[in-house]
Amino acid sequence: MLHRRARTATSPKRTHRSRHPYIFKSLVHCGICGRKMQGQHSHGVAYYRCRFPQEYALANKVDHPRNVIMREDVLIKPLDTWLVQGFGPLHRRHTIATLLDQAHTDMPPAAAVTPEGPSVAECDAKLSRYRAALDAGADPAVVAGWIAETQAERQRAAQRHQAPAEEEARTPARLSEDQIITAVEELGDLVDALRDAEPEHKLEVYRSLGLHLSYDPETQTVRASVDLAAHRWDSVRVRGGT
């Protein structure tokens, strides 16, 4: 027995492949808690399951069933059909036009510029005059009050000037028309690969698409989204249709 164990320990390790490839591995999220659903097989059928212990649900104030289960095979065909409809050669022009229209619609309107007090330059000019008055013999107590008030106004003016720049920095850059067209064309090429892809290779295509799936157990609906300029499209019905 010791000899056999020693021989086994020194033998090269084999790389074990998964017996059951999951087509949507790490892509399906529970629509209730947002966590990734784990794959499991039962009687040769792949499922995705979200287990949420009762104590976690109570601690996080989430009304969550003990088990949320979604069957894999009922989603493949509707999902692929939805992707082809959006990115196939016959529909790409419509998808590009829709995205461009959304990009223009989602642009925030230009904010009306209304004066809310003196500017930084105006405050600096006031402070210079007050210091000159102080040098000329004005009452120091009175001038000190003017300076304190103007310094507070200057600080508010500086904050107003800084706020638009910070807001612009937080706003994600939008894709240009050429970038949207290029992205849709590239996604279309990936979608075309789904038709001939083996089940174990579909996952690679879905990940390349930036696919995100969220399963709602109450309506038995999966909301599918592709990562492109933060746009989201329609839902995919699990029970027939799209």
Side-chain angles (χ1 to χ4, degrees):
M1 290 176 63
L2 292 174
H3 177 70
R4 191 186 310 105
R5 289 179 182 176
R7 184 176 58 187
T8 303
T10 56
S11 60
K13 294 182 179 181
R14 296 180 180 179
T15 302
H16 296 282
R17 296 185 61 187
S18 175
R19 294 178 55 194
H20 307 288
Y22 293 98
I23 295 179
F24 305 118
K25 183 179 180 181
S26 300
L27 301 180
V28 184
H29 295 73
C30 176
I32 300 177
C33 65
R35 301 189 310 165
K36 290 182 180 180
M37 300 177 66
Q38 304 299 317
Q40 73 172 51
H41 270 76
S42 178
H43 303 290
V45 179
Y47 294 86
Y48 295 88
R49 185 176 189 177
C50 179
R51 293 181 177 179
F52 204 86
Q54 186 176 5
E55 58 270 22
Y56 289 177
L58 293 175
N60 293 278
K61 298 181 180 180
V62 177
D63 185 13
H64 196 294
R66 179 170 297 180
N67 288 289
V68 173
I69 301 176
M70 187 199 78
R71 184 164 170 163
E72 180 184 83
D73 56 0
V74 298
L75 177 60
I76 299 173
K77 185 175 180 180
L79 177 64
D80 289 353
T81 300
W82 171 74
L83 289 170
V84 170
Q85 287 177 347
F87 297 100
L90 299 178
H91 303 87
R92 291 181 195 177
R93 183 173 298 179
H94 174 72
T95 298
I96 292 172
T98 301
L99 290 176
L100 291 174
D101 183 65
Q102 288 181 359
H104 293 301
T105 302
D106 294 341
M107 287 292 291
V113 179
T114 56
E116 299 180 1
S119 65
V120 173
E122 291 172 342
C123 291
D124 288 341
K126 282 185 178 181
L127 290 172
S128 297
R129 291 196 299 269
Y130 296 155
R131 293 189 181 98
L134 188 61
D135 293 339
D139 187 348
V142 175
V143 176
W146 295 346
I147 290 177
E149 182 180 355
T150 305
Q151 286 177 337
E153 290 179 344
R154 188 185 189 283
Q155 184 177 3
R156 289 192 293 269
Q159 291 174 347
R160 289 195 302 270
H161 179 74
Q162 185 178 5
E166 293 178 348
E167 182 65 25
E168 183 178 355
R170 289 193 297 266
T171 304
R174 296 182 179 274
L175 296 179
S176 66
E177 179 175 350
D178 291 339
Q179 289 173 324
I180 290 177
I181 294 174
T182 301
V184 172
E185 292 292 340
E186 291 177 353
L187 293 176
D189 294 338
L190 288 173
V191 169
D192 289 341
L194 285 173
R195 299 175 180 177
D196 302 323
E198 297 294 332
E200 59 268 23
H201 297 151
K202 279 182 175 285
L203 176 60
E204 299 177 13
V205 178
Y206 292 140
R207 285 179 174 172
S208 299
L209 290 169
L211 186 67
H212 182 280
L213 304 171
S214 179
Y215 175 61
D216 184 346
E218 293 186 2
T219 60
Q220 294 188 323
T221 301
V222 172
R223 181 168 183 80
S225 61
V226 174
D227 188 6
L228 173 64
H231 287 287
R232 297 293 182 261
W233 291 279
D234 296 333
S235 300
V236 179
R237 181 69 58 178
V238 173
R239 288 187 173 178
T242 57

